[in-house]
Amino acid sequence: TNFAMNKELIMNPNQLVAFLEKPCAEFTKEDIKRYIQQNGIRMVNFMYPAGDGRLKTLNFVINNQAYLDAILTCGERVDGSSLFPFIEAGSSDLYVIPRFRTAFLDPFAEIPTLSMLCSFFNKDGEPLESSPEHTLHKACKAFNEVTGMEFQAMGELEYYVIAPDTNMFEATDQKGYHESAPYAKFNDFRTQCMAYIAQAGGQIKYGHSEVGNFTLNGMIYEQNEIEFLPVNAEDAADQLMIAKWIIRNLAYKHGYNITFAPKITTGKAGSGLHIHMRIMKDGQNQMLKEGDRKSTRLNSSHPSDSYAVF
């Protein structure tokens, strides 16, 4: 069993999981320090979503082991009033503390860089009650305490790639579902995004081109989707944040534009962010009874969805 587990971990696309030979949920501060020291990592990035929904980044150059230990243990002070509209300047001191389980090698950095998502704490060292990640943490904890079950989630991340029209192998308007190249122009871009997301710890189910496909004013608008696997709801949120950051960064490198907007023009397919749920106990799906679903779909644009949507 240990051999099978080690083989599975070694094949994991997240380089930290493969190197440390343990799942990311078990990462410790000592694990992070060992990976940094033995893999030539020169910088550490703290990342966290602000009130505008975008990931913010704080860079650290690793000066020595003591400094590395200090930032991993104590985090760093940030100006909360510049991050959240509800925090006043007079009491704006916040601290960002890294969550080791989110560590990944930055696929875009020229200097070897390890990135981690962070949680917000106030000046008294308590979790910031109003921060997004703590709100979700409290909800998941309350659900577990009341029901004894784990709330899992997964996202369908739909987006449009926007790029100059090549006037070659034109796709059929609104018929882009599962289209292949050369009619779908951005399959290679999507698969590269998926590879980077997987390296960053994202648990992906699959990816494909979506229905939306049209040209307007000399530009191609092509809809794509990357769908995830159900994981703990907190991990699901982390994975979606990192995935959107990766897709935008890779698009920028290619000279493409990206939009996750629900609707960009009338008469063309919009992009949903469908969040599916699964309730687990002792490794068993509590939404199944003798192999059949016992829950009804709450809201979905796809008849084949296998999980309830909230």
Side-chain angles (χ1 to χ4, degrees):
T1 305
N2 287 341
F3 174 77
M5 174 64 78
N6 287 347
K7 190 175 181 181
E8 185 175 322
L9 293 173
I10 289 169
M11 293 178 66
N12 193 291
N14 184 324
Q15 295 176 43
L16 277 83
V17 172
F19 177 83
L20 296 168
E21 294 187 30
K22 61 164 62 173
C24 55
E26 297 177 12
F27 287 175
T28 66
K29 182 176 69 172
E30 294 307 315
D31 290 332
I32 301 298
K33 288 164 64 176
R34 180 160 70 91
Y35 182 84
I36 287 172
Q37 290 163 4
Q38 296 184 19
N39 289 275
I41 303 300
R42 302 308 310 152
M43 298 194 75
V44 169
N45 284 351
F46 285 1
M47 305 181 77
Y48 31 88
D52 60 5
R54 299 181 194 171
L55 277 179
K56 307 304 177 184
T57 303
L58 186 60
N59 311 116
F60 299 89
V61 175
I62 302 169
N63 300 318
N64 53 56
Q65 190 167 340
Y67 180 67
L68 174 60
D69 187 80
I71 62 171
L72 293 179
T73 305
C74 306
E76 186 53 83
R77 190 193 71 80
V78 296
D79 176 17
S81 64
S82 295
L83 295 171
F84 296 105
F86 52 80
I87 293 179
E88 296 181 0
S91 55
S92 64
D93 277 2
L94 294 180
Y95 290 83
V96 285
I97 310 290
R99 301 197 292 276
F100 302 135
R101 72 176 187 271
T102 66
F104 65 96
L105 202 60
D106 187 325
F108 304 107
E110 291 186 21
I111 300 167
T113 301
L114 192 72
S115 295
M116 287 173 279
L117 296 182
C118 296
S119 296
F120 290 100
F121 289 78
N122 62 25
K123 58 181 174 53
D124 299 318
E126 301 161 337
L128 179 66
E129 286 292 326
S130 52
S131 65
E133 90 288 342
H134 189 59
T135 301
L136 180 58
H137 173 74
K138 286 187 294 184
C140 290
K141 186 178 179 182
F143 181 85
N144 178 256
E145 288 173 350
V146 171
T147 67
M149 297 184 283
E150 179 190 16
F151 194 95
Q152 295 190 346
M154 53 164 276
E156 291 184 38
L157 196 54
E158 295 180 348
Y159 59 92
Y160 272 92
V161 184
I162 307 167
D165 188 1
T166 59
N167 294 310
M168 296 172 64
F169 294 99
E170 292 190 8
T172 307
D173 184 278
Q174 301 306 287
K175 297 289 185 181
Y177 185 70
H178 289 200
E179 187 61 275
S180 298
Y183 301 100
K185 306 296 187 290
F186 305 108
N187 284 351
D188 287 345
F189 169 73
R190 186 186 63 252
T191 54
Q192 185 64 67
C193 288
M194 292 168 67
Y196 282 171
I197 292 166
Q199 289 169 29
Q203 301 295 304
I204 294 175
K205 183 180 179 183
Y206 54 54
H208 57 82
S209 58
E210 255 296 351
V211 168
N213 201 314
F214 62 94
T215 56
L216 184 66
N217 299 326
M219 304 294 283
I220 295 174
Y221 291 73
E222 182 183 294
Q223 191 180 37
N224 284 255
E225 176 182 315
I226 298 173
E227 185 165 321
F228 291 77
L229 291 165
V231 294
N232 175 281
E234 293 179 74
D235 295 332
D238 288 345
Q239 291 179 23
L240 283 171
M241 286 297 306
I242 293 172
K244 292 175 78 170
W245 173 81
I246 284 173
I247 293 168
R248 287 178 175 131
N249 270 281
L250 194 58
Y252 179 67
K253 283 188 173 294
H254 282 277
Y256 304 152
N257 206 347
I258 294 288
T259 179
F260 299 96
K263 196 72 175 173
I264 53 177
T265 188
T266 56
K268 310 297 182 184
S271 295
L273 175 53
H274 305 111
I275 304 295
H276 303 255
M277 57 177 273
R278 185 169 76 170
I279 299 169
M280 301 291 288
K281 186 174 184 179
D282 300 325
Q284 297 296 315
N285 185 349
Q286 301 302 297
M287 299 171 74
L288 294 175
K289 185 175 183 180
E290 297 175 359
D292 295 324
R293 286 201 306 272
K294 60 182 179 182
S295 60
T296 55
R297 192 160 45 251
L298 303 179
N299 173 31
S300 174
S301 66
H302 298 302
S304 60
D305 285 339
S306 55
Y307 303 102
V309 179
F310 67 93

